[in-house]
Amino acid sequence: MTWLEALIIGFVQGISEFLPISSSAHLLIAERVLGISYHDPTLTFEILLHFASLLAVLVYFRKELLNLAENTLKYVLKRENEHKNDFRFVLLLLISTVVTFAVGKMLENTLGSGITNFSLIAAALIITGIFLVFIEHGGFKERKAQGDISIRDACWIGVAQAIAVIPGISRAGSTLVGAMMLGLKKEEALRYSFLLSIPIISGLTLLKLTSLDTLADTSILSLGVAFASAFVFALAGIRWLISMVQRTRLSYFAVYCIALGILVWVFYGNEPAAVSSAFMPQGGRI
């Protein structure tokens, strides 16, 4: 892989990871359109891209994460009641994470080879667009703040996020829709979605590391360019989504996803897509 191809793949991964447009679908479309592949037998490149996205969200939310960690530790060690809500919030994130991995693996097993088809990806992109319209114009009753999220809510949000195992279904979009259908305020649903991405991306990266035997043959320059590109554009994507949610302009992403889904359906139809398992190592791939 050349440094230019690495730059493109890093850009696609970074900008689409946290926007409600499905990073997995965009990576597959980019591979098909440009005739390049970001996969390598050793998984080094994929792990690097995931780590860049993880680092971006950690950097952006570093103050809030440090505060959550500090307050959770204070509650665990000293049982200080004023920090109980933060401790409970962290537990809810962990519950959502466990549910996501469990349901996601079940969906993968159920869908099987059907998940590797561009027609399914196209349909999923269109569904993502419809989801975003619901977020913007669905008239959800925003009645819950952070302290009102229940264990049941956390489980359902985990289920909603697991649906994103299907390329074309946006993790951010499905999580936002699931949270808002449960009554969370839009800003709180967005915050939960971003913070929930941390254990999810961390878990996927660790699963990939279990299959890493040797380093990739990709040049250090290409790896560095891909990492820097993914990191910078992931930060940009986070800022962009927060801004669009605040200004109630998610409909733009909805139009984009629906249009892209139609184009993919028209041009690529039933062509197979090189999708690998998202949740468990299989044959050296994830």
Side-chain angles (χ1 to χ4, degrees), residues 105-119:
K105 188 56 184 174
M106 289 173 58
L107 285 174
E108 278 192 340
N109 291 337
T110 301
L111 292 172
S113 60
I115 205 171
T116 65
N117 194 290
F118 268 112
S119 61

Side-chain angles (χ1 to χ4, degrees), residues 146-185:
Q146 173 183 319
D148 300 319
I149 303 174
S150 66
I151 293 177
R152 177 177 174 273
D153 293 337
C155 290
W156 279 115
I157 293 172
V159 171
Q161 182 171 232
I163 298 173
V165 69
I166 302 172
I169 297 294
S170 162
R171 188 201 64 80
S174 61
T175 307
L176 280 171
V177 169
M180 291 183 66
M181 287 181 67
L182 294 168
L184 268 71
K185 297 177 181 179

Side-chain angles (χ1 to χ4, degrees), residues 9-32:
I9 291 298
F11 164 76
V12 172
Q13 162 68 21
I15 200 67
S16 62
E17 178 66 43
F18 298 107
L19 293 180
I21 56 176
S22 178
S23 61
S24 58
H26 277 74
L27 285 169
L28 291 167
I29 294 168
E31 284 186 295
R32 177 62 180 82

Side-chain angles (χ1 to χ4, degrees), residues 221-282:
L221 175 61
S222 295
L223 290 173
V225 168
F227 180 85
S229 177
F231 173 74
V232 169
F233 287 105
L235 276 176
I238 293 171
R239 294 179 183 274
W240 192 4
L241 180 56
I242 291 174
S243 173
M244 295 297 268
V245 167
Q246 291 173 340
R247 291 184 291 170
T248 317
R249 292 182 179 176
L250 288 178
S251 295
Y252 295 155
F253 292 123
V255 172
Y256 171 78
C257 285
I258 292 171
L260 180 61
I262 293 172
L263 288 173
V264 170
W265 205 318
V266 169
F267 286 101
Y268 301 125
N270 291 318
E271 287 187 26
V275 181
S276 53
S277 171
F279 291 96
M280 291 293 287
Q282 293 178 351

